[in-house]
Amino acid sequence: MAFLFNSDAARGAIFRQVFARELPDLEFHLSSEGVDPDKVRYLLTWNVPGDLSRFRNLEVLFSIGAGVDQFKPDTVPSHVKLVRMIEDGIIRMMQEYIVLGVLTLHREMLAYREQQRRGLWQALAASQAADRRVGFLGLGMLARAAIDRLRPFQFPLAAWSRSKKAVEGVTCFHGEDQLGNFLERTDILVCLLPLTEQTRGILNAKLFSLLRIGARLLHVGRGPQLDTVALVEALNSGRLAAAMLDVTDPEPLPESHPLWSHPQVIITPHIASVTQPLTAAQSVIENIRRHRAGKDLVGLVDRTLGY
Ligand code: NDP
Ligand code: OXD
C-alpha cells in the first residue's frame, strides 16, 4: 500500500519525514517512477498526473491546495474520494493576505502609491473602519478565518454564501436572490469563492454595477471568476476605486494587459496562501487515519457542488 506525493521536492522531503514517523507502515514515494501503480492508494497532487485510471486501486485523491477546480471534479472516478487541503499554514497565510489587502484598500494605499510616483505629498480623506463595510463572497473555511482576524478593526462585516449561514457579528446573505442586497451594502468586496460553473465570471459588469460607487475589490478566489474587461471599465469609470488581485486568467496576464500598469490595481502572483508542508502532512495523515477507521474525511469534496 503506497502514498504518492506528486509536488515539489522541498515540501516532499518534509512530508516524507513526517510520514516515516507517523505512518511507517505506508510506503511513501516522491515520484511515480518505480512505483507499482496498483499499490497507490493515496495520491497528493495539484494536477492529475497523466491518466488517473492507471492507479486502479486509488482510494483518496488529496489536493495540495484548498481549491479542487484544477481536477475538474466530475472527471475523477466516483469511487475515489476527492479531498481539499485544510491545514493551519494555508489558513494563517490567507488571514495575513486578507488583512493586508483590506487595509491596503481601506487606507488608500494605491492612491498614495500613485501620488508618490508623481512626487506629491498630500493627505487624502480617511474613512473610519466602522464606516467601511467589508463583504465576503464565500463564507467557507478561509473566509471565516479571515473574518476572525478582521474583527478587531471594527469593519461592519457581511458575507454571501450558497446556503444559509449564521456567524456571530457577520450579516449573512445567501443565494442568488440576496446577492444584490449583499453587494449594495459592501464597500470592500473580497472574493473567496471556489471556481465552479456557478461562480465562473461572477465578477462582471452587472455585479460591479450593484456595488456602491467607489467600492474596492480584493480577489483571491480564482482567475476565471473575474471579467477583466469589465474590471478595467469599472475602474476607469470610477465605479470601482481600486482592486487587488492575487489570481488572474491566464496566470500571468499577457504582458500588454492593461491591468499590469493600471494605477488603481495591485497584482500579486497567486501567493496569497500556500500549503505549508509540516502542518499539511499532519492534516493528511489525520485524514488517512480517519479513512482507515471508516470515518468521514475532513475537506471531502461534494462532487455535485464541485467544491
Ligand atoms: P470552502 O469550500 O470552505 O468555502 C466555499 C464558500 O463558497 C462556501 O461558503 C460556499 O457556500 C461558497 N459558495 C460556493 N459556491 C457558491 C455559489 N454558487 N454561490 C454562493 N456561494 C458559494 O472554500 P475555502 O474557503 O477553503 O476556499 C475558497 C477558495 O479560495 C478555494 O476554492 C480557492 O479557489 C481559493 N483559494 C485561493 C488561494 C490563493 O492563494 N489565492 C489559496 C487558497 C484558496 P456554502 O457555505 O453554502 O457551501
Ligand atoms: C489553493 C491555491 O487552492 O493556492 O490552495 O490557490
Side-chain angles (χ1 to χ4, degrees), residues 134-145:
V134 177
F136 283 77
L137 288 170
L139 186 51
M141 164 187 79
L142 295 173
R144 283 170 188 255

Side-chain angles (χ1 to χ4, degrees), residues 105 108 132-133 180 183-189 203-217 226-227 229-243 262 264-265:
L105 296 169
E108 314 293 359
R132 185 88 78 185
R133 297 158 302 176
L183 294 170
E184 73 187 14
R185 58 69 61 208
T186 294
D187 300 309
I188 297 181
L189 180 67
L203 300 173
N204 56 28
K206 174 155 183 266
L207 179 141
F208 296 144
S209 76
L210 297 172
L211 289 165
R212 186 190 64 83
I213 299 218
R216 291 114 211 258
L217 172 68
L226 173 65
D227 176 343
V229 174
L231 175 62
V232 172
E233 275 169 18
L235 289 164
N236 292 346
S237 69
R239 164 65 57 184
L240 290 184
H262 202 292
Q264 291 146 270
V265 175

Side-chain angles (χ1 to χ4, degrees), residues 46 65-69 84-86 90 94 97 137-144 160-165 174-176 191-199 202 219-222 225 246-247 251 270-274 305 307:
W46 177 249
V68 293
D69 50 285
R84 67 204 170 85
M85 184 57 71
I86 298 188
I90 205 169
M94 187 58 84
Y97 190 91
L137 288 170
L139 186 51
M141 164 187 79
L142 295 173
R144 283 170 188 255
W160 179 74
S161 53
R162 188 185 47 78
S163 55
K164 193 170 178 189
K165 295 273 173 314
H174 70 279
E176 287 295 321
C191 180
L192 257 174
L193 287 168
L195 180 62
T196 64
E197 281 323 300
Q198 287 68 44
T199 66
I202 189 168
H219 184 29
V220 264
R222 283 289 183 263
Q225 290 162 342
D246 185 54
V247 289
E251 291 183 350
H270 201 145
I271 47 71
S273 183
V274 181
L305 298 175
Y307 68 94

Side-chain angles (χ1 to χ4, degrees), residues 276-298:
Q276 298 301 303
L278 257 186
T279 36
Q282 291 293 356
S283 99
V284 170
I285 285 167
E286 174 57 24
N287 252 341
I288 291 175
R289 291 197 174 119
R290 295 178 74 89
H291 178 66
R292 286 174 165 180
K295 294 185 181 162
D296 290 343
L297 302 189
V298 178

Side-chain angles (χ1 to χ4, degrees), residues 64-105:
I64 196 155
V68 293
D69 50 285
Q70 70 282 10
F71 291 116
K72 301 188 178 44
D74 51 349
T75 66
V76 175
S78 55
H79 68 274
V80 176
K81 294 188 160 84
L82 177 59
V83 175
R84 67 204 170 85
M85 184 57 71
I86 298 188
E87 62 92 11
D88 289 351
I90 205 169
I91 294 173
R92 261 187 293 107
M93 284 187 77
M94 187 58 84
Q95 289 175 316
E96 289 173 7
Y97 190 91
I98 299 290
V99 171
L100 173 75
V102 167
L103 293 182
T104 296
L105 296 169

